Amino acid sequence: MVTIIGLEKKKNLKSQEIYSVLVLQGNAEVLKSKATSRPYVSARKTTIPCALDDVLAKSLIGQSLPGSIEKVACTPFEVKLPTGKKVKISHTFQYLPDPEKAETVIG
């Protein structure tokens, strides 16, 4: 299960069109730091496009959706950390609906 934790506005870089996305967060998980080998708690987050009006979309905050947020490979890109260090990322997080509860849309 994932939880809807927010609503954000994004801008399409090509068309300059503004659209809404729901911010989703998975369950807390304990991870191990590569640098220090110490455990820490984190939760995966991602966004999905939303075709609902803002009032209805905001009313969904706090509700759960069946499925999970999974790590998937993507074209590598560079991110600058707050420390100024640049790191190369080759994955992203994607919402995967529960196949047993997802509806099939045709057309």
Side-chain angles (χ1 to χ4, degrees):
M1 295 292 273
V2 300
T3 304
I4 300 168
I5 63 167
L7 176 70
E8 293 179 359
K9 295 289 186 183
K10 302 276 184 175
K11 183 188 280 191
N12 183 304
L13 296 176
K14 290 182 182 177
S15 69
Q16 300 299 308
E17 181 181 352
I18 304 290
Y19 62 98
S20 298
V21 294
L22 292 173
V23 182
L24 307 178
Q25 182 172 298
N27 294 327
E29 54 188 338
V30 178
L31 303 172
K32 190 176 184 180
S33 169
K34 290 180 183 177
T36 65
S37 296
R38 295 180 61 182
Y40 66 97
V41 177
S42 186
R44 295 177 179 184
K45 284 174 43 174
T46 193
T47 60
I48 57 172
C50 176
L52 305 173
D53 64 60
D54 288 353
V55 174
L56 182 55
K58 286 179 182 176
S59 73
L60 297 175
I61 295 173
Q63 293 190 25
S64 296
L65 295 175
S68 61
I69 298 174
E70 300 296 328
K71 187 176 184 177
V72 293
C74 70
T75 304
F77 60 98
E78 207 169 74
V79 175
K80 187 175 182 180
L81 301 176
T83 60
K85 180 180 177 183
K86 292 181 181 178
V87 293
K88 199 170 248 182
I89 306 286
S90 59
H91 69 274
T92 188
F93 293 105
Q94 181 178 354
Y95 170 65
L96 299 176
D98 185 345
E100 295 177 8
K101 297 181 182 175
E103 292 185 26
T104 301
V105 178
I106 299 174

